[in-house]
Amino acid sequence: GKFVRRNALALGSASAVLLALLAGLAAATLGMLEAQRQFERAEARQQALEQVSGFQQRMLADIDARAMGTGIIEVMREQLADAPADGDAVDPALFEAIAARANPADLAREVIDRHMLERARETIEADFADQPLLQADLYDAVFRVYDGIGLHPPQIGVAQRMLELRRAGLAAGHIDVLQARRHLGDALFRNTDYEAARGALQSLLADLESRPRAAQDETSLELLLGTRDSLAQTLVELGEREAAIETARRNLEAAARYDVLDDEQYLGLHGSVGYVLARSGQLPEALEHFRRQAEGLRELLPEGDPDLAGPLSNLGAALAATGQLEEALDISREVLAIYERAYGRRHPSTLRVMVNIGNMLSHLDRVDEAIAMYEAHNAASREINGPDHPNTLRGMLNLASAMIRVGRPGDGLETVRDVAERRRETLGPEHLDTLTAQELHANALIDLDRHAEALPIIEPVHRLRLDMLGPDHPQTAAAAWWLGRARLGTGDAAGAIEPLRAAVDSNAERHGPEHSATITMAMHLFDALRRTGDEQAAETVRAEYLAALESADPETLDDERRRLREEWLGIRGE
């Protein structure tokens, strides 16, 4: 008490200071609590935004653009059928002609972009201008949606804006900046600007590889592997095959060392190596990698999982390209079963596999089975796409070709004539699909020995393909082959020589001199040369393409080569 009385002024001042400090501390504490609440609300809002954008991204990425576009056209067709017949009614034939020209996938992508994604981009710019890094994250989600639906042109602008925002707010080596650079490189690749893509990806890869190993966490290593994978595919598109193969193989080896990818991702790199090798013409080795991916995924995924379909399709295509048609057919039937269970029989992917199976059956001379598959495909395509849709007409051409092969050229001729006329009406007389139908029309007539009728059909086809595609294109060579056949059949051996020689040279360059098609073409070229009396040139063709077949033991030949040998001996008169 005495102390307090003696020091009342000092204690009063100290108490005032203490109270002030306590009041300040309380205010500061309340401010901190309010700031914490504001931060938590902002963080929760950002998490909610990220969850919403992630949900929207997953929903949109799962959209099958082609099926959606086909559905839009089908709904329009149903509404047209239900509309009252009055003076303002749309002519169904006109609608089908317009629908046949439409690309269903592009139609759906345009609707999604115009009515959803463009508005999303505008909202991101307007509502989040004060949150640039959140803006960048939302653009990242939009970029991935564009990727999921296969709409690539807008991705470049989105990736550029994302990179600009992240560079402004983050260090150059931040993982989000590096990821945005990867997005830009991939966007350039998908839009076929391969030179720009190579520059962007090589620069990014150099920066990733120069990072100290201690600074490379799992995320940055995954980004490094993904960037190198993209670069390998870019290089092969640029024709730099050796560099592409070396890059892809190096990436596969690095992935095994780093051990940061899950099993499915690692197997995906086998698929990438297979793709680069296949694009480089090294099919046997590509087949090994495709098989490794497919068989590995069989062990990881449940039977019939839709994620198996793509790798199995690659394996089937490689098997077919290397002549292993029986196994390719089994694989393709498995893919068909997956698509039928996952998407139904009327889905575009299902229909595409049906055509592939029909083609394989046809090449295996199981033509009756091929015809049944083509007919099933055509019925489904006609139902969902309409009679004039390109996919329907393409299926009809496959059916016509099979009919001709099985000895029903009359039925095939009627079908192919119908397709040619429909394509002329819907696509125009100079469209490449129209020319293909006309070529098959000429083919059917030639198989019926109606060469004079085939000649005026195939001559303009050959001329237009020369003008549009050039002399070295495979389709030009095919037209030259049929033109030579038609001229030879009408007795114009001299006029047949030039197109037949072009066809032989082109096929030999692409498939080799011992390919069955090359041998067939060479036999007709020999016949034309001999008819004109040019025995020396005929003998040169015989020595280069036919002598080995002539001298072969028939017992050592497969059925196709044995048939060709008998045909050749017949031409020689033996």
Side-chain angles (χ1 to χ4, degrees), residues 302-378:
E303 183 178 354
D305 191 295
D307 287 342
L308 278 168
L312 286 174
S313 295
N314 289 336
L315 175 59
L319 287 165
T322 54
Q324 302 174 64
L325 289 174
E326 291 286 359
E327 186 178 357
L329 180 60
D330 291 340
I331 295 290
S332 297
R333 289 193 188 280
E334 183 177 355
V335 174
L336 178 62
I338 291 173
Y339 281 141
E340 285 182 333
R341 282 194 298 269
Y343 308 125
R345 188 121 194 190
R346 304 197 314 170
H347 190 275
S349 297
T350 308
L351 295 176
R352 186 167 56 250
V353 177
M354 291 171 73
V355 171
N356 291 341
I357 291 174
N359 293 340
M360 291 176 191
L361 288 167
S362 183
H363 282 100
L364 286 166
D365 286 329
R366 294 160 61 177
V367 187
D368 289 334
E369 295 176 64
I371 288 175
M373 183 61 71
Y374 290 142
E375 288 177 336
H377 166 271
N378 293 350

Side-chain angles (χ1 to χ4, degrees), residues 165-406:
L165 291 165
R166 286 180 173 171
R167 275 179 166 161
L170 299 170
H174 192 281
I175 191 65
D176 288 347
V177 175
L178 300 173
Q179 184 63 64
R181 291 171 63 187
R182 163 81 187 280
H183 283 334
L184 180 56
D186 285 346
L188 291 166
F189 171 85
R190 291 176 188 131
N191 284 278
T192 69
D193 190 350
Y194 299 128
E195 287 289 355
R198 171 170 57 182
L201 293 168
Q202 283 181 333
S203 173
L204 173 58
L205 185 60
D207 289 345
L208 288 167
E209 289 177 334
S210 67
R211 290 161 67 95
R213 183 65 178 87
Q216 290 181 329
D217 59 8
E218 183 173 319
T219 303
S220 65
L221 288 172
E222 285 186 21
L223 180 58
L224 185 152
L225 295 170
T227 301
R228 193 183 287 130
D229 184 48
S230 294
L231 179 59
Q233 297 185 47
T234 302
L235 291 171
V236 80
E237 295 300 335
L238 286 167
E240 300 181 21
R241 297 172 180 175
E242 292 184 6
I245 293 170
E246 192 278 332
T247 301
R249 285 174 172 160
R250 178 186 171 200
N251 203 41
L252 187 61
E253 294 169 358
R257 289 198 310 274
Y258 297 154
D259 194 25
V260 295
L261 302 180
D262 62 34
D263 290 341
E264 190 169 347
Q265 290 173 318
Y266 179 72
L267 290 169
L269 292 185
H270 273 287
S272 294
V273 176
Y275 173 80
V276 169
L277 287 164
R279 292 280 288 148
S280 301
Q282 300 186 27
L283 283 170
E285 190 175 354
L287 177 59
E288 295 177 13
H289 288 279
F290 287 142
R291 193 184 295 279
R292 171 72 183 276
Q293 182 191 21
E295 292 179 352
L297 288 175
R298 285 188 199 276
E299 297 177 3
L300 292 175
L301 302 176
E303 183 178 354
D305 191 295
D307 287 342
L308 278 168
L312 286 174
S313 295
N314 289 336
L315 175 59
L319 287 165
T322 54
Q324 302 174 64
L325 289 174
E326 291 286 359
E327 186 178 357
L329 180 60
D330 291 340
I331 295 290
S332 297
R333 289 193 188 280
E334 183 177 355
V335 174
L336 178 62
I338 291 173
Y339 281 141
E340 285 182 333
R341 282 194 298 269
Y343 308 125
R345 188 121 194 190
R346 304 197 314 170
H347 190 275
S349 297
T350 308
L351 295 176
R352 186 167 56 250
V353 177
M354 291 171 73
V355 171
N356 291 341
I357 291 174
N359 293 340
M360 291 176 191
L361 288 167
S362 183
H363 282 100
L364 286 166
D365 286 329
R366 294 160 61 177
V367 187
D368 289 334
E369 295 176 64
I371 288 175
M373 183 61 71
Y374 290 142
E375 288 177 336
H377 166 271
N378 293 350
S381 182
R382 190 179 296 109
E383 181 183 347
I384 64 173
N385 297 322
D388 293 326
H389 191 275
N391 289 343
T392 305
L393 297 177
R394 193 172 299 116
M396 290 175 66
L397 284 183
N398 288 326
L399 175 60
S401 297
M403 286 175 171
I404 293 168
R405 287 192 61 195
V406 81

Side-chain angles (χ1 to χ4, degrees), residues 376-544:
H377 166 271
N378 293 350
S381 182
R382 190 179 296 109
E383 181 183 347
I384 64 173
N385 297 322
D388 293 326
H389 191 275
N391 289 343
T392 305
L393 297 177
R394 193 172 299 116
M396 290 175 66
L397 284 183
N398 288 326
L399 175 60
S401 297
M403 286 175 171
I404 293 168
R405 287 192 61 195
V406 81
R408 293 165 53 188
D411 293 339
L413 178 62
E414 182 178 349
T415 301
V416 77
R417 183 190 290 118
D418 182 33
V419 174
E421 186 57 33
R422 287 176 182 269
R423 282 187 170 177
R424 176 184 288 275
E425 291 175 357
T426 58
L427 302 177
E430 297 186 2
H431 193 282
L432 289 176
D433 286 349
T434 304
L435 299 181
T436 298
Q438 290 175 326
E439 179 183 275
L440 286 174
H441 186 192
N443 176 1
L445 288 166
I446 289 169
D447 285 346
L448 289 168
D449 291 328
R450 293 159 62 175
H451 299 89
E453 294 176 63
L455 196 55
I457 297 173
I458 194 62
E459 281 182 332
V461 171
H462 180 250
R463 184 169 60 252
L464 286 168
R465 283 188 173 167
L466 272 174
D467 292 341
M468 291 188 290
L469 303 176
D472 298 326
H473 196 278
Q475 291 185 12
T476 306
W481 158 240
W482 292 112
L483 174 60
R485 289 280 309 276
R487 286 179 177 172
L488 192 60
T490 58
D492 183 11
I497 290 173
E498 182 179 351
L500 287 174
R501 191 183 297 279
V504 170
D505 291 344
S506 177
N507 206 79
E509 183 176 350
R510 291 197 316 276
H511 302 297
E514 297 181 357
H515 191 270
S516 58
T518 306
I519 293 171
T520 301
M521 294 172 180
M523 287 193 291
H524 285 85
L525 176 57
F526 173 90
D527 190 23
L529 289 166
R530 194 176 60 174
R531 290 192 198 185
T532 62
D534 194 344
E535 295 292 343
Q536 183 176 354
E539 179 58 28
T540 300
V541 171
R542 188 198 71 79
E544 187 170 357

Side-chain angles (χ1 to χ4, degrees), residues 45-65:
R45 181 167 179 261
Q46 178 159 346
Q47 289 176 349
L49 284 169
E50 290 174 351
Q51 288 175 348
V52 170
S53 68
F55 171 75
Q56 292 174 332
Q57 177 185 329
R58 289 190 298 273
M59 290 292 292
L60 288 170
D62 287 340
I63 289 175
D64 185 319

Side-chain angles (χ1 to χ4, degrees), residues 96-150:
E96 294 299 342
I98 295 171
R101 289 176 177 265
N103 183 311
D106 288 344
L107 174 63
R109 293 182 187 112
E110 184 68 23
V111 169
I112 294 171
D113 186 30
R114 185 177 299 179
H115 296 285
M116 298 178 68
L117 296 178
E118 283 187 3
R119 294 176 63 184
R121 293 166 65 180
E122 292 169 0
T123 301
I124 291 170
E125 284 295 323
D127 292 1
F128 302 96
D130 59 341
Q131 297 174 276
L133 293 181
L134 178 55
Q135 271 187 320
D137 290 345
L138 293 172
Y139 273 123
D140 195 330
V142 171
F143 180 93
R144 295 174 192 274
V145 171
Y146 276 127
D147 200 39
I149 65 173

